[in-house]
Amino acid sequence: MPTTLGMDVEIVAAAQRWELWMDCLLRRAAQVGLEGEIPVAAVVLDGQGRAIGWGSNRRHRHQDPLGHAELVALAQAASLRQSWRFPDCTLLVTLEPCPMCAGALVQARMGQVVFGAPDPKRGALGGCLDLSRDPSAHHRMAVLGGVRQSQAKGQLEQWFRQRRAAALPPR
């Protein structure tokens, strides 16, 4: 059994890992924002911490209502693993998942979700509702929010500010 110090070291190491992945996702999201999409990016990590699915928003570019970063990453990971179940995996995303994405993560039996910016208006893992803890959910997953929160929130706010200033509707 690990000692308290050993558990503390593991927690710090995990937090540092999540921050490094979130930095990578924020760079990816910035590129997506330059392409006119809302700047959100996601990655699915397997149990060994390897990236098995990448996604970024592409609703406008592909005219796909399901083109959310989480769903794109999840579909790629499912194809690679040849499985729709992810109990040993972690999904990291720059913005708290919406109800559609959170529902898909519950359905996929995702082990853990880590997100950057909370979404009090549309977030479904603690923002306006919490599908990970809803009595109807047949699967419980660990959720950690707020990793690089100020950077993730700032990136989204800046993108929307620029869109409004240019009088362009969000895509």
Side-chain angles (χ1 to χ4, degrees):
M1 178 166 192
T3 65
T4 302
L5 179 60
M7 288 190 310
D8 291 344
V9 169
E10 289 175 26
I11 291 168
V12 169
Q16 289 173 336
R17 219 174 17 255
W18 300 149
E19 288 181 1
L20 290 172
W21 277 110
M22 195 62 69
D23 289 342
C24 180
L25 290 174
L26 288 167
R27 287 190 300 275
R28 237 177 136 87
Q31 181 59 44
V32 171
L34 293 173
E35 297 167 4
E37 294 284 355
I38 296 174
V40 178
V43 64
V44 176
L45 305 177
D46 69 11
Q48 288 73 48
R50 298 174 300 208
I52 58 171
W54 289 95
S56 55
N57 276 4
R58 58 183 190 189
R59 284 190 318 172
H60 182 71
R61 191 173 6 157
H62 291 234
Q63 294 299 300
D64 180 2
L66 303 177
H68 289 214
E70 302 93 325
L71 298 183
V72 174
L74 196 57
Q76 188 179 78
S79 179
L80 181 69
R81 282 177 69 137
Q82 293 296 295
S83 176
W84 58 271
R85 294 174 184 246
F86 298 89
D88 63 327
C89 295
T90 299
L91 178 120
L92 287 98
V93 62
T94 56
L95 177 65
E96 179 182 352
C98 71
M100 175 177 67
C101 294
L105 294 166
V106 169
Q107 291 295 320
R109 295 4 179 226
M110 186 61 62
Q112 180 173 351
V113 177
V114 176
F115 64 85
D119 187 349
K121 291 181 183 175
R122 290 173 210 84
L125 292 179
C128 65
L129 62 124
D130 191 347
L131 292 181
S132 70
R133 295 188 192 344
D134 191 273
S136 69
H138 59 278
H139 169 73
R140 301 283 185 253
M141 60 189 156
V143 176
L144 173 64
V147 176
R148 294 281 195 246
Q149 178 175 337
S150 62
Q151 295 93 330
K153 182 179 177 186
Q155 184 179 62
L156 286 160
E157 287 174 345
Q158 179 183 0
W159 188 87
F160 278 106
R161 222 177 359 262
Q162 289 172 339
R163 299 296 289 184
R164 285 185 205 105
L168 297 173
R171 295 179 172 185

